[in-house]
Amino acid sequence: MTKTVVLYPGLGAGHLTPMLQLAKLFLQHGVAVTVALVEPPVKTPDFSATVARAAASNPSISFHVLPPPPQPPSTAGSSADDTPRHPALQMFDHLGAMNAPLRDFLRSLPTSADALVIDMFCADALDVAAELNLPVYFFYASGAGDLAVFLNIPSVRANMTMSLQEFRGSVLSLPGAPPFKASDLPEELLKDSEAGKAILRRMFRRMPESNGILVNTFESLEPRAARALRDGLCVPDRATPPVYCVGPLVSGGGEKGHECLRWLDAQPDRSVVFLTFGSLGTFPKKQLEEIAVGLERSGQRFLWVVRSPRGSGQNLNEPLPEPDLDALLPDGFLERTKGRGLVLKSWAPQVDVLRHSATGAFVTHCGWNSTLEGIVAGLPLLCWPLYAEQRMNKVFIVEEMKLGVEMRGYDEEVVTAEEVETKLRWVMESEDGCALRERVLVVKDRAAEALKEGGSSYVAFVEFIEDIETVNRP
C-alpha cells in the first residue's frame, strides 16, 4: 500500500519552495504527498497566486489551504496604542492557532497519514502529532552548520555566566562549527526579548522532541556539522533524533523568454556577475549608489536586481512599489553601463540566471536557498548577509566550505564602492578568484552525485522512509 505524508510548510515563499522540492523527492520514491498550507494572517493576492502556481506546476501533489482559526476574544482593557507584537511572536501565535485546523484536517483524511513533516517554525504542531499518535519530522530548510549551532544555543544561553553584551562580543566554539563571533547569530538570539525566548523555546528547544530532522544539505558539503549532529553532540542535555542530510533540494527553474535571459545569451561564458538579495533584501539609496559606482568602476559585466528601499518601520509583508531607477541610481549610470550591464526591477528568474552559461559569479545575501542554488550552478559566492541566519551562513560558506568571500562592510554603515569594485575584480580576474571558481565546480559535481542513486543524500532519504515504516510498525 502506498505511504502518504503530509507536509506542513511555514509562512513565506522561502519555506514553501524547498518544501515543494522535498515533496517531489517523496513522489520519486513512491510516497503520496499532501501539502497543508497556512494562509498568512494578512491576506494578500500573492498567497493565492503562489498556491495556484504551485498546484499547476505539481499536479501529482495535493494542496489544501487550511481554514483560518477562530478569532480569539478581544483582550479586556487593551488600548489602541498598544505596542505591536514582534513579527516573530505574531508568526508563532498564528501558527500555534492553526493547530486546531491542522488537527481537523489530518483527522478528515480518508487514509491516515504515515508521517507529518513540519517546517522549522511549526514546532507547535508537535502537539497535534502527539495527540494523533502520528510520527512527526522537522524539515530544516537551512544548513547543517546552522542547525548544529542553533540546537546548542538553548543550553548555551541557559548556562551563561556573562551579560548579553559580553556574550555578543565573545567567540563561540561549538560542535559542528568553526569558531565564530556570537554577533554573527541572528539578532533576536542576542537579546533578552520575548521574541528571542520564543525562538529558543518554540523552535530549537522542541526540535529534539521529533522523530527525526531532514536537512536541506549534503554530507560532503558540511561533513563536520553532519558528524556532530549524528553523534549527538549538539543537544548536550538529551538525545538527538536521527538527522538526515537529503539535499540539495533546489528549484529546477524553467522560466522562458525573460528579457534578462535573452540578454545573457549575448554575453561571453562565465563573464557576468549576478547581484540579488532575496525577496526581503532592500538597501537605502546611499548603498544602492555605492553598488552602482563599484559596478561601473570594476569594468565587469553585471546583472543586478534592484528593489525599492523599505521605509522605516514598514511591515515586511507589505509589497514594495516598483523602483524608480533614475531616482535611486547615480545620474547617467544606466546609460554609461548600457551593453555590459543590465538592471532589473524587483525580480529575476534566479535559478535560470544562475545556471546560464554567461553567469560567472553570484553576489548573494546568503539565504540558504540562494546559497544552494549558487553551489549547484557552480558559482563562487560573494557574501553580503542581511538578516536572520544569513551571517551564520556566511561563516560556513567562507570559513568552512571555502566557496566564497565576504563583502566587507556589510555589518557597518555601508559596503563601499571601492569594496564592490575590488571584490568583483578579484573574483573575475585574479588567480585566487580562479582557484575559488575551480573549488566550486568540484562541489557542484559532488552535489549532483549526492542525489544520484547510491549517493549520500539518496541513501539518507531511503533510510528516512524505512524509519517511518519502523516507527509505524505496531
Side-chain angles (χ1 to χ4, degrees):
M1 190 159 117
T2 302
K3 287 188 283 294
T4 300
V5 297
V6 173
L7 307 188
Y8 188 45
L11 300 173
H15 293 262
L16 175 59
T17 299
M19 194 72 95
L20 288 178
Q21 302 310 311
L22 180 65
K24 294 175 184 177
L25 195 56
F26 275 111
L27 293 178
Q28 291 170 18
H29 288 263
V31 179
V33 180
T34 294
V35 180
L37 295 163
V38 176
E39 192 160 3
V42 179
K43 293 186 177 181
T44 65
D46 289 351
F47 176 76
S48 298
T50 298
V51 174
R53 282 197 303 271
S57 303
N58 302 279
S60 299
I61 301 170
S62 298
F63 291 87
H64 180 84
V65 179
L66 297 173
Q71 288 296 316
S74 59
T75 305
S78 62
S79 61
D81 60 351
D82 280 347
T83 303
R85 284 171 68 73
H86 189 281
L89 294 174
Q90 293 179 38
M91 176 189 66
F92 282 126
D93 289 347
H94 185 67
L95 291 171
M98 292 303 299
N99 271 9
L102 176 65
R103 183 189 306 111
D104 293 342
F105 170 66
L106 291 170
R107 282 175 170 162
S108 74
L109 292 173
T111 304
S112 295
D114 293 282
L116 174 67
V117 180
I118 62 177
D119 181 79
M120 58 187 179
F121 287 113
C122 298
D124 286 343
L126 288 164
D127 300 328
V128 175
E131 183 179 338
L132 301 180
N133 198 28
L134 182 63
V136 59
Y137 298 82
F138 275 96
F139 177 52
Y140 191 73
S142 197
D146 289 347
L147 180 62
V149 169
F150 294 147
L151 287 177
N152 258 291
I153 292 300
S155 176
V156 170
R157 286 289 304 269
N159 296 301
M160 259 175 47
T161 57
M162 64 182 80
S163 69
L164 280 172
Q165 189 58 38
E166 291 171 319
F167 178 64
R168 180 187 289 271
S170 64
V171 173
L172 300 179
S173 294
L174 298 174
F180 66 95
K181 297 179 294 183
S183 56
D184 283 325
L185 289 167
E187 185 61 28
E188 286 306 329
L189 299 185
L190 299 169
K191 300 176 181 176
D192 193 24
S193 65
E194 286 304 310
K197 292 174 183 175
I199 290 169
L200 292 174
R201 185 178 69 252
R202 297 176 73 170
M203 281 180 61
F204 305 123
R205 188 69 189 164
R206 296 207 67 183
M207 278 189 179
E209 297 175 28
S210 65
N211 294 95
I213 305 173
L214 300 164
V215 188
N216 190 11
T217 191
F218 52 104
E219 187 93 17
S220 65
L221 182 67
E222 302 185 86
R224 185 198 325 216
R227 186 166 54 250
L229 289 164
R230 191 168 49 244
D231 292 346
L233 303 179
C234 305
V235 186
D237 54 352
R238 53 185 165 154
T240 305
V243 175
Y244 311 90
C245 297
V246 298
L249 304 178
V250 299
S251 168
E255 188 81 19
K256 294 179 180 178
H258 194 281
E259 61 165 317
C260 71
L261 299 178
R262 294 194 297 272
W263 181 82
L264 284 169
D265 287 342
Q267 310 306 316
D269 284 356
R270 298 296 179 187
S271 67
V272 176
V273 179
F274 180 43
L275 304 89
T276 188
F277 299 91
S279 58
L280 299 179
T282 63
F283 293 115
K285 175 178 167 64
K286 175 177 173 55
Q287 181 62 83
L288 292 173
E289 290 175 337
E290 290 289 325
I291 295 172
V293 172
L295 287 172
E296 185 172 357
R297 289 177 180 170
S298 75
Q300 304 301 318
R301 291 179 171 84
F302 65 88
L303 176 59
W304 180 21
V305 179
V306 172
R307 298 169 61 80
S308 294
R310 196 177 300 280
S312 177
Q314 186 176 358
N315 190 308
L316 292 179
N317 293 319
E318 289 182 40
L320 293 169
E322 185 174 274
D324 182 345
L325 298 181
D326 290 326
L328 291 172
L329 304 180
D331 288 344
F333 168 77
L334 294 173
E335 186 61 33
R336 290 192 301 273
T337 58
K338 189 175 182 180
R340 71 171 176 87
L342 179 64
V343 180
L344 298 178
K345 297 180 179 181
S346 303
W347 182 85
Q350 178 167 302
V351 171
D352 298 282
V353 170
L354 292 172
R355 295 183 180 182
H356 196 285
S357 61
T359 306
F362 183 22
V363 181
T364 173
H365 64 307
C366 302
W368 192 247
N369 290 339
S370 293
T371 296
L372 286 181
E373 288 165 4
I375 290 171
V376 167
L379 297 177
L381 306 175
L382 298 174
C383 299
W384 190 329
L386 299 177
Y387 52 86
E389 84 287 5
Q390 292 164 13
R391 290 173 180 237
M392 287 301 310
N393 290 341
K394 183 270 301 180
V395 171
F396 287 100
I397 293 166
V398 175
E399 304 296 334
E400 191 82 344
M401 303 171 195
K402 313 275 188 206
L403 299 180
V405 293
E406 175 185 313
M407 298 290 288
R408 297 188 185 279
Y410 70 84
D411 55 352
E412 299 166 10
E413 183 180 346
V414 69
V415 173
T416 64
E418 181 182 12
E419 173 69 2
V420 173
E421 176 188 0
T422 299
K423 283 291 163 58
L424 264 59
R425 286 183 180 276
W426 180 89
V427 78
M428 299 300 285
E429 298 176 357
S430 74
E431 289 186 10
D432 286 341
C434 180
L436 172 59
R437 293 198 299 276
E438 290 175 357
R439 284 199 301 275
V440 179
L441 289 173
V442 170
V443 177
K444 172 188 176 181
D445 291 340
R446 290 176 182 166
E449 290 295 326
L451 293 172
K452 290 180 181 176
E453 187 168 354
S456 62
S457 295
Y458 183 97
V459 169
F461 195 77
V462 170
E463 180 185 342
F464 159 63
I465 293 175
E466 291 172 348
D467 286 352
I468 292 177
E469 295 175 347
T470 302
V471 172
N472 279 309
R473 196 171 295 142

